[in-house]
Amino acid sequence: MTSSSSPSQDTKRVAHTYPEGLRADALMEEDVAWSHEIDGERDGDQFDRSERAALRRVVGLSTELEDVTEVEYRQLRLERVVLVGVWTTGTAQDADNSLAELAALAETAGALVLDGVIQRRDKPDAATYIGSGKALELRDIVLESGADTVICDGELSPGQLIQLEDVVKVKVIDRTALILDIFAQHAKSREGKAQVALAQMQYMLPRLRGWGQSLSRQMGGGRGGLATRGPGETKIETDRRRIREKMAKMRREIADMKTGREIKRQERRRNKVPSVAIAGYTNAGKSSLLNRLTGAGVLVENALFATLDPTVRRAETPSGRLYTLADTVGFVRHLPHHLVEAFRSTMEEVGDADLILHVVDGSHPVPEEQLAAVREVIRDVGATDVPEIVVINKADAADPLVLQRLLRVEKRSIAVSARTGRGIEELLTLIDDELPRPSVEVEALVPYTHGKLVARAHTEGEVISEEHTAEGTLIKVRVHEELAADLAPYTPASAA
């Protein structure tokens, strides 16, 4: 640890070999040891795993041009990185956990984390994020470790990025750019790619920079002539205008895709099919839980933001009631507002659900922070009125004291393990109890010639009893008002 004269400006060096449990468990050996024999029954064939593993970054290989004047904008290339965090509030353990999560994000993006530093400050420096003196110390660390990228644990202003780069002499990116890069790698669907592209353009717009001739002005004037009206707009202004045009086009495309998603939701509502949304922190085990409950075969990988595209599957409660189960994008602390805005149409699955399964990683050192971060995003999308069940996943690897604390604090909670199956049956029963039930109870003798009504009663309602008689099917069922009206001509009261 190095220290300065002021106690508010202490800098702590964090070794790149983080203690066990501190790294947010983003890349554990169990993920590498995945096998079809052991895990295939739970997670399906997992075809996406081999496809994703077929293209990996190779450290030290790059085709990026050395002379930045030859390129307009540099590509985000993460290889050997040093992490920088500013500790303004909370405890030292909170700061360590935040930097450990940043290390997990960097490795998910394909980087090799070499070192990490945390500085104690009242607030980030307006010019270089960590102050001019500490920026010089960071430059020495970069030279010593041979890093080519610095990642800051926060969202930096364009000026902070430029000035810190000028001091450390290597590329500097912030937490938001890192998350956007991971999203760009993992998005597969047309809607997911469009949402990521929009978020990237929103982030890039105020941070555009040019080199050499990129800053020159275009000639102004009307029909020609020798500089008749003076200089026109700069190249960077032209680029900003083009990006704004692309953003407008992307928003229209996402709005069209949102219409298609809304039509599907309306169809489910028309058929009175209840919906359950799985929400939670990234890498909490949402996809594993979806596979365990429905056999969906969604990609499961022990990495942050492994799956982005929402998946909706049909499921059935122990009592035979049908409902849909939707897996949503994972959340993280300080989730960039660009992503919340771009993925709003996807996150609306949470707002339109009848029940939220809030999945939290029980093996995380501080699961309460995960709960708070996810609930903040849930408030942003207007889903505070939706009933919530806190599902404490990875109970087989969690500290028993942590489990007891969470179960005591969260009144509507249950501990499960998607890996071993512990608590899954109890969770299904709890879902059955919490889902909204049809409001009208009907007893009807339906003729065999109207078997469609009986089928609708099974699909849209809750069958209490059923008996086949000579006159037809005697059924006692709890249904919604529309189906109750269709069954009314066959009730004993109407027959009398």
Side-chain angles (χ1 to χ4, degrees):
M1 175 184 293
T2 60
S3 61
S4 60
S5 57
S6 172
S8 65
Q9 299 255 337
D10 290 341
T11 303
K12 183 170 69 171
R13 191 89 169 259
V14 181
H16 65 275
T17 53
Y18 292 89
E20 184 177 358
L22 183 63
R23 280 275 318 287
D25 296 330
L27 303 168
M28 296 190 298
E29 292 182 359
E30 61 177 286
D31 181 58
V32 179
W34 190 94
S35 66
H36 182 77
E37 292 78 10
I38 299 174
D39 303 308
E41 182 179 352
R42 178 185 71 249
D43 293 326
D45 292 324
Q46 296 286 292
F47 294 122
D48 289 340
R49 293 175 64 88
S50 57
E51 180 182 340
R52 182 171 293 180
L55 185 62
R56 293 288 188 186
R57 284 191 172 104
V58 180
V59 176
L61 296 182
S62 173
T63 58
E64 187 176 18
L65 296 176
E66 294 294 326
D67 185 0
V68 294
T69 62
E70 298 181 28
V71 293
E72 189 169 338
Y73 302 116
R74 287 178 289 177
Q75 296 291 325
L76 183 63
R77 174 178 56 84
L78 301 179
E79 290 183 358
R80 300 164 62 83
V81 302
V82 172
L83 311 179
V84 181
V86 173
W87 169 23
T88 56
T89 58
T91 64
Q93 185 63 39
D94 294 336
D96 288 345
N97 287 337
S98 182
L99 203 68
E101 184 174 84
L102 187 67
L105 287 167
E107 292 198 9
T108 300
L112 175 63
V113 179
L114 302 178
D115 212 338
V117 292
I118 298 175
Q119 187 193 8
R120 183 72 169 94
R121 293 182 62 95
D122 295 331
K123 61 180 180 179
D125 183 68
T128 60
Y129 183 66
I130 56 176
S132 57
K134 298 305 176 186
L136 292 173
E137 293 182 20
L138 178 61
R139 183 186 64 184
D140 296 337
I141 295 173
V142 169
L143 289 173
E144 177 188 340
S145 61
D148 59 12
T149 303
V150 170
I151 306 179
C152 298
D153 191 16
E155 184 167 342
L156 275 63
S157 68
Q160 287 174 324
L161 284 171
I162 294 172
Q163 295 189 54
L164 189 56
E165 266 192 2
D166 289 341
V167 176
V168 299
K169 304 302 181 184
V170 296
K171 180 175 57 186
V172 177
I173 65 170
D174 58 15
R175 182 187 181 95
T176 301
L178 178 61
I179 293 176
L180 286 171
D181 181 61
I182 297 172
F183 272 53
Q185 291 181 45
H186 293 175
K188 292 185 62 179
S189 69
R190 178 169 169 260
E191 184 175 11
K193 290 178 179 178
Q195 289 167 330
V196 171
L198 176 60
Q200 286 178 320
M201 286 186 285
Q202 286 176 318
Y203 174 81
M204 186 195 309
L205 187 59
R207 293 171 173 82
L208 290 183
R209 286 176 280 174
W211 293 270
Q213 296 302 313
S214 296
L215 290 175
S216 63
R217 289 184 178 272
Q218 301 180 63
M219 185 57 63
R223 297 181 176 275
L226 298 176
T228 55
R229 295 189 183 177
E233 62 183 350
T234 61
K235 177 67 165 59
I236 202 167
E237 289 169 343
T238 306
D239 293 337
R240 284 176 179 151
R241 176 162 45 81
R242 288 173 178 169
I243 287 180
R244 290 190 185 98
E245 292 171 356
K246 288 182 179 178
M247 287 172 59
K249 179 182 177 183
M250 199 67 68
R251 287 193 179 98
R252 289 194 296 269
E253 291 180 0
I254 292 175
D256 292 340
M257 289 182 274
K258 178 183 177 181
T259 302
R261 186 179 293 277
E262 180 62 29
I263 290 173
K264 293 178 182 178
R265 282 199 289 259
Q266 288 177 355
E267 183 69 15
R268 293 198 295 266
R269 285 195 291 265
R270 188 179 67 82
N271 292 328
K272 308 299 180 182
V273 179
S275 61
V276 178
I278 302 177
Y281 212 76
T282 179
N283 205 40
K286 299 184 297 299
S287 297
S288 297
L289 184 64
L290 178 70
N291 290 339
R292 174 66 74 173
L293 293 175
T294 66
V298 174
L299 171 71
V300 172
E301 190 172 11
N302 201 5
L304 306 186
F305 298 115
T307 50
L308 294 181
D309 302 317
T311 303
V312 181
R313 292 289 185 270
R314 193 174 81 160
E316 189 173 318
T317 65
S319 64
R321 300 170 62 200
L322 294 178
Y323 66 97
T324 59
L325 198 60
D327 185 17
T328 61
V329 63
F331 305 142
V332 72
R333 279 179 298 187
H334 313 302
L335 188 68
H337 65 275
H338 312 292
L339 288 175
V340 176
E341 213 39 56
F343 278 78
R344 185 168 293 275
S345 63
T346 302
M347 293 177 179
E348 284 175 357
E349 292 284 355
V350 177
D352 289 342
D354 297 300
L355 178 67
I356 296 175
L357 297 185
H358 185 163
V359 183
V360 61
D361 183 356
S363 65
H364 191 272
V366 193
E368 290 86 356
E369 291 183 359
Q370 293 191 352
L371 286 166
V374 173
R375 282 170 176 159
E376 182 179 347
V377 180
I378 288 176
R379 283 195 298 270
D380 289 342
V381 298
T384 52
D385 296 333
V386 182
E388 174 191 72
I389 298 175
V390 176
V391 182
I392 308 168
N393 196 19
K394 306 182 184 180
D396 54 320
D399 184 345
L401 294 178
V402 174
L403 283 181
Q404 292 176 13
R405 185 176 75 237
L406 286 174
L407 290 171
R408 183 176 64 254
V409 173
E410 299 293 338
K411 302 305 180 184
R412 294 158 57 89
S413 60
I414 184 173
V416 305
S417 172
R419 173 172 287 274
T420 64
R422 167 185 167 184
I424 296 299
E425 294 298 327
E426 292 83 354
L427 175 60
L428 287 171
T429 303
L430 189 57
I431 292 173
D432 197 357
D433 295 338
E434 293 291 336
L435 281 177
R437 296 182 176 276
S439 56
V440 183
E441 186 172 312
V442 177
E443 184 175 358
L445 181 62
V446 183
Y448 291 119
T449 54
H450 292 76
K452 286 185 178 180
L453 286 176
V454 178
R456 284 181 60 192
H458 281 276
T459 303
E460 304 173 20
E462 183 179 351
V463 177
I464 301 172
S465 64
E466 184 178 17
E467 180 183 353
H468 298 286
T469 66
E471 293 80 14
T473 303
L474 181 61
I475 188 170
K476 188 176 182 181
V477 62
R478 189 177 288 111
V479 295
H480 52 84
E481 294 180 357
E482 182 182 343
L483 183 54
D486 293 339
L487 289 171
Y490 310 106
T491 57
S494 62

